């Protein structure tokens, strides 16, 4: 009993101290936007997530839990979600959070200029029943709608966003989250603790500084000297240099992310050999992915056979990754009428991912061996993702897509739904299967649909399937409570520094 009283007293004392200290986090690339519907990649969404709240959240065990909605109900047909909203919450600019905020979030989120407008346009109506109750009406049932709300629907203040517009809001975002925006310059973003945050005892640090440091070697040097506290997307060889450093701990985990070469059958890909199924199969045989994993990642990555990963719902383990077989690739190219090869270009996001430049160069060399002359287009991540459907580059491109929900559906929808911002491959049958998965609430039936989809994506591949990486991060031992998740997400409100 005495111990319990002591611990409760200690906890009360800690909470009463308020946020303190500065946490400095390195970013591997410059976030395109901090407005969540335009946060193009994980780096951007990780920074933005500290500023906002959503109606519901996903906890560390993967459960849906209340956030700005305290409870909810779902209609029998799965199309209407009614939420009771938390009261007494204010945005960083002083506006009250209420049902008008939900409407503004929906209206601004579905703006066609946004990268992820589709996350909002699937709701056809927002009914305001009273200031603290709203109903979201979907066009059709969506098996992962609550997960989508947790990941994408960052609540915005209606008065401010109307006043400054979407571009103005992106420049100085306002939310209800644990940290509020202070400033942004060429190489850093500064946030500070929200003094009126609604969760007792949070956040625990006073200031968060994100430093844009594209070079992984520089990130390691900075964490070694204590200049930064957290550095992610490190290579195994760089991490090895930190072993034995008692000021740094290493965090590693399998990443729920697929790296791939995307093909286009629209835009720059229209009329190219990529439209031929045999050519796309040949390219999968032609790239020496086992060599990439061993030589570039020191074995710290796993070959993949598609967009559904081990551990994802409906993973089909009978499908093995395409083997490296350049002779088979040549046979397929000849059968397709391209025995003399052809020339194309391939985009590469130069500063976005670990070893991505080396990966692109390796692919270029491998395809040259089967007669394909590939011109590489290296671009900064902000330029790379600046245009719809990768319009800044040619018929092929390298990218990756993560999922935060334990299923492949978000990356399938993002990469293969016709009309989506980053969709470059249109296939009516794939679109139909993805739509079925999205609207099927029974998990067993959904798993069967995933397996059917994988088979088709394997036999008629819209991508070269590359690898699933292991993530390595370096964290200063003074950082407490830092828990990244499998899709590289992190939430800093519970993190403290000693």
């Amino acid at each position: 009993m005495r111990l319990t009283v002591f611990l409760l007293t200690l906890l009360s004392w800690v909470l009463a101290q308020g946020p303190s200290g500065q946490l400095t986090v390195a970013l591997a690339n410059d976030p395109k936007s901090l407005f969540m519907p335009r946060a193009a990649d994980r780096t951007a969404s990780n920074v933005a997530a500290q500023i906002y709240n959503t109606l519901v959240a996903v906890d560390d065990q993967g459960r849906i839990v209340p956030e700005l909605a305290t409870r909810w109900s779902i209609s029998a047909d799965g199309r209407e979600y009614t939420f009771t909203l938390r009261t007494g919450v204010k945005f960083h600019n002083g506006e009250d959070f209420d049902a008008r905020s939900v409407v503004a979030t929906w209206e601004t989120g579905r703006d066609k200029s946004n990268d992820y407008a589709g996350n909002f346009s699937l709701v056809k109506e927002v009914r305001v029943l009273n200031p603290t109750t709203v109903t979201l009406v979907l066009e059709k049932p969506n098996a992962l709608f609550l997960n989508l709300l947790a990941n994408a629907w960052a609540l915005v203040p209606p008065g401010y966003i109307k006043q400054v517009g979407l571009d103005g809001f992106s420049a100085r975002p306002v939310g209800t989250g644990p940290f509020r925006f202070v400033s942004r310059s060429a190489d850093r973003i500064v946030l500070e603790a929200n003094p009126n945050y609604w969760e007792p005892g949070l956040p625990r640090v006073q200031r968060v500084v994100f430093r844009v440091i594209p070079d992984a070697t520089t990130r390691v040097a900075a964490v070694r000297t204590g200049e930064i506290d957290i550095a992610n997307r490190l290579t195994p060889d760089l991490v090895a240099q930190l072993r034995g450093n008692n000021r740094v701990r290493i965090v590693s985990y399998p990443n729920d992310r697929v790296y791939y070469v995307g093909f286009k059958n629209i835009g720059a890909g229209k009329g190219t050999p990529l439209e031929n199924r045999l050519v796309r199969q040949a390219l999968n045989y032609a790239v020496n992915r086992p060599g990439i994993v061993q030589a570039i990642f020191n074995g710290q990555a796993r070959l993949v056979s598609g967009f559904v990963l081990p551990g994802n719902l409906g993973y089909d383990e009978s499908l093995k990754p395409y083997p490296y077989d350049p002779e088979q690739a040549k046979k397929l190219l000849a059968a397709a009428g391209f025995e003399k090869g052809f020339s194309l270009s391939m985009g590469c996001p130069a500063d976005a991912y670990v070893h991505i430049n080396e990966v692109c160069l390796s692919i270029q060399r491998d395809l040259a061996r089967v007669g394909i002359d590939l011109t590489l287009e290296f671009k900064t991540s902000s330029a790379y993702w600046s245009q719809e459907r990768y319009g800044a580059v040619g018929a092929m491109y390298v990218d990756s897509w993560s999922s935060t929900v334990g299923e492949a559906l978000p990356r399938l929808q993002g990469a293969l739904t016709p009309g989506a911002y980053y969709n470059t491959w249109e296939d009516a049958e794939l679109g139909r299967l993805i739509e079925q998965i999205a609207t099927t609430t029974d998990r067993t039936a959904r798993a069967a649909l995933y397996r059917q989809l994988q088979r088709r994506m394997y036999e008629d591949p819209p991508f070269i399937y590359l690898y699933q990486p292991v993530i390595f991060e370096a964290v200063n031992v003074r950082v407490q409570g830092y828990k990244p998740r499998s899709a590289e997400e992190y939430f800093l409100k519970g993190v403290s520094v000693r």
Side-chain angles (χ1 to χ4, degrees):
M1 177 62 80
R2 286 181 179 176
L3 179 60
T4 301
V5 171
F6 170 75
L7 291 175
L8 289 174
T9 303
L10 179 62
L11 177 62
S12 300
W13 180 83
V14 169
L15 294 179
Q17 301 312 300
S20 64
Q22 174 174 307
L23 178 72
T24 306
V25 182
L27 303 178
N29 60 281
D30 192 15
K32 177 185 172 188
S33 175
L34 301 184
F35 178 43
M36 195 63 91
R38 295 181 177 179
D41 68 332
R42 181 64 61 216
T43 299
S45 63
N46 270 344
V47 178
Q50 317 311 322
I51 299 171
Y52 305 100
N53 288 125
T54 48
L55 290 176
V56 297
V58 178
D59 69 11
D60 288 338
Q61 287 72 48
R63 298 170 300 196
I64 300 292
V65 296
E67 193 155 272
L68 289 185
T70 56
R71 62 178 183 272
W72 57 90
S73 60
I74 306 171
S75 65
D77 66 0
R79 293 178 58 249
E80 297 189 8
Y81 289 67
T82 299
F83 297 91
T84 300
L85 306 182
R86 192 175 298 278
T87 58
V89 177
K90 287 186 177 294
F91 286 95
H92 302 154
N93 66 340
E95 284 187 59
D96 291 326
F97 165 72
D98 57 26
R100 293 171 302 168
S101 313
V102 181
V103 175
T105 301
W106 172 59
E107 289 179 339
T108 56
R110 64 181 177 155
D111 189 282
K112 292 183 178 178
S113 66
N114 296 331
D115 300 31
Y116 299 113
N119 289 338
F120 301 84
S121 59
L122 55 79
V123 171
K124 71 173 186 179
E125 181 185 2
V126 178
R127 292 179 193 148
V128 176
L129 307 184
N130 59 54
T132 60
T133 312
V134 294
T135 296
L136 307 188
V137 183
L138 279 62
E139 290 278 359
K140 49 200 158 192
N142 186 303
L144 297 176
F145 183 60
L146 289 176
N147 293 85
L148 182 110
L149 285 181
N151 292 317
W153 278 53
L155 276 301
V156 299
Y160 176 67
I161 202 165
K162 182 178 181 181
Q163 174 193 345
V164 301
L166 297 190
D167 291 337
F169 189 89
S170 295
R172 294 196 66 83
V174 168
T176 59
F179 296 98
R180 59 188 184 186
F181 177 84
V182 175
S183 64
R184 179 171 187 170
S185 59
D187 67 346
R188 69 188 61 203
I189 297 165
V190 179
L191 310 180
E192 66 180 8
N194 173 5
N196 302 310
Y197 191 55
W198 55 274
E199 285 188 277
L202 299 175
R204 301 189 64 189
V205 293
Q206 177 59 36
R207 190 176 177 89
V208 180
V209 177
F210 294 97
R211 296 269 311 278
V212 180
I213 307 177
D215 181 66
T217 302
T218 307
R219 292 199 294 278
V220 166
V223 79
R224 182 184 283 135
T225 62
E227 184 182 346
I228 63 172
D229 296 305
I230 299 172
N232 67 1
R233 294 188 177 174
L234 303 179
T235 61
D237 53 321
L238 286 173
V239 166
Q241 298 175 17
L242 295 170
R243 304 283 184 198
N245 186 328
N246 60 11
R247 296 176 56 190
V248 177
R249 67 184 172 93
I250 305 301
V251 177
S252 67
Y253 51 93
N255 190 197
D256 195 333
R257 177 180 291 272
V258 174
Y259 282 74
Y260 56 91
V261 178
F263 301 135
K264 296 183 181 179
N265 65 357
I266 58 175
K270 202 164 182 60
T272 70
L274 298 175
E275 292 184 324
N276 189 306
R277 176 175 60 87
L278 297 179
V279 169
R280 283 176 275 115
Q281 290 178 344
L283 268 57
N284 271 280
Y285 282 111
V287 174
N288 184 3
R289 291 165 297 162
I292 289 174
V293 167
Q294 288 303 320
I296 298 179
F297 293 96
N298 198 25
Q300 297 297 323
R302 179 161 54 189
L303 298 179
V304 294
S305 58
F307 262 31
V308 182
L309 295 175
N312 288 167
L313 180 68
Y315 172 67
D316 185 349
E317 61 182 17
S318 70
L319 290 177
K320 305 302 179 187
Y322 274 89
Y324 174 49
D325 190 342
E327 294 307 314
Q328 178 65 12
K330 289 177 183 176
K331 290 178 184 175
L332 288 167
L333 287 173
F338 297 101
E339 62 274 8
K340 294 183 179 178
F342 52 83
S343 299
L344 280 177
S345 63
M346 183 177 81
C348 192
D351 60 353
Y353 304 118
V354 170
H355 285 321
I356 202 66
N357 292 4
E358 294 95 320
V359 170
C360 291
L361 290 166
S362 181
I363 293 169
Q364 184 188 42
R365 288 192 296 271
D366 290 340
L367 294 189
R369 292 187 182 102
V370 298
I372 297 173
D373 177 24
L374 202 62
T375 300
L376 296 183
E377 301 174 279
F378 288 100
K379 293 186 180 295
T380 63
S381 58
S382 56
Y384 200 70
W385 292 312
S386 63
Q387 297 182 31
E388 288 183 273
R389 299 171 181 82
Y390 298 89
V393 296
M396 295 168 59
Y397 56 92
V398 172
D399 210 341
S400 75
W401 207 295
S402 66
S403 173
T404 62
V405 301
E407 299 188 20
L409 184 58
R411 58 178 155 254
L412 290 165
Q413 289 177 313
L416 289 168
T417 299
Y421 194 88
Y422 292 112
N423 166 246
T424 64
W425 189 262
E426 294 189 351
D427 179 321
E429 176 61 12
L430 289 181
R432 184 188 68 77
L433 284 168
I434 293 169
E435 179 70 11
Q436 271 191 281
I437 292 170
T439 55
T440 300
T441 55
D442 181 87
R443 282 178 61 85
T444 301
R446 203 157 70 246
L449 288 167
Y450 274 122
R451 287 190 285 274
Q452 186 178 345
L453 179 80
Q454 286 167 81
R455 178 69 60 180
R456 180 174 173 82
M457 288 180 65
Y458 186 86
E459 295 171 348
D460 191 359
F463 310 104
I464 300 174
Y465 306 111
L466 294 176
Y467 52 86
Q468 174 190 12
V470 175
I471 292 293
F472 292 95
E473 302 188 18
V475 182
N476 193 302
V477 294
R478 80 189 192 100
V479 177
Q480 305 292 304
Y482 175 68
K483 298 176 183 175
R485 296 180 183 174
S486 64
E488 297 180 274
E489 316 150 86
Y490 51 72
F491 302 92
L492 300 178
K493 63 185 179 183
V495 173
S496 62
V497 290
R498 293 188 297 193

